[in-house]
Amino acid sequence: MSTSRCEAWHWQTPFYVVTILLSLWLPILERPFLYMLLIVTTLTHWHYGASVVNQMCEHFNRVCFTVHKRVKDMGNQKKLEDQPNEQNTSVKQD
């Protein structure tokens, strides 16, 4: 098991509390508040997912959705696609 612990207070909690209180005080605005929370929560989850994927790809030296390794210095090295295939270019010399 990991020794890391989850945060005791999430940064979105005040938004939820304020939304609940405003919805109880002004019930006519409950639906717009819920839509706003839906959009904010969805965007933060997308951001979190993209950040996790980027960190994992950086750690494993991979590019997202491919199996090719990253080339660190593109100035001195050719891309993998630009390099000729050794099997096709090898010529038998006598």
Side-chain angles (χ1 to χ4, degrees):
M1 293 299 278
S2 166
T3 58
S4 62
R5 296 179 56 178
C6 65
E7 297 177 5
W9 184 261
H10 193 269
W11 67 271
Q12 285 184 333
T13 305
F15 295 122
Y16 295 131
V17 172
V18 168
T19 301
I20 290 170
L21 293 176
L22 286 175
S23 294
L24 292 173
W25 185 47
L26 298 168
I28 193 84
L29 295 177
E30 181 179 10
R31 186 171 290 189
F33 287 144
L34 288 175
Y35 285 138
M36 178 198 59
L37 280 177
L38 171 74
I39 292 169
V40 169
T41 304
T42 302
L43 291 176
T44 56
H45 277 78
W46 285 349
H47 174 72
Y48 175 76
S51 298
V52 168
V53 168
N54 284 332
Q55 288 176 4
M56 289 177 66
C57 288
E58 185 177 317
H59 175 75
F60 293 119
N61 196 22
R62 299 281 184 230
V63 180
C64 292
F65 309 114
T66 64
V67 281
H68 298 292
K69 283 190 173 185
R70 288 185 184 170
V71 179
K72 296 262 185 189
D73 188 13
M74 294 297 288
N76 295 332
Q77 297 177 359
K78 294 180 181 179
K79 292 183 182 177
L80 293 175
E81 296 85 22
D82 294 341
Q83 294 178 354
N85 192 353
E86 291 180 10
Q87 295 173 351
N88 295 338
T89 59
S90 62
V91 177
K92 205 176 191 185
Q93 294 183 2
D94 294 327

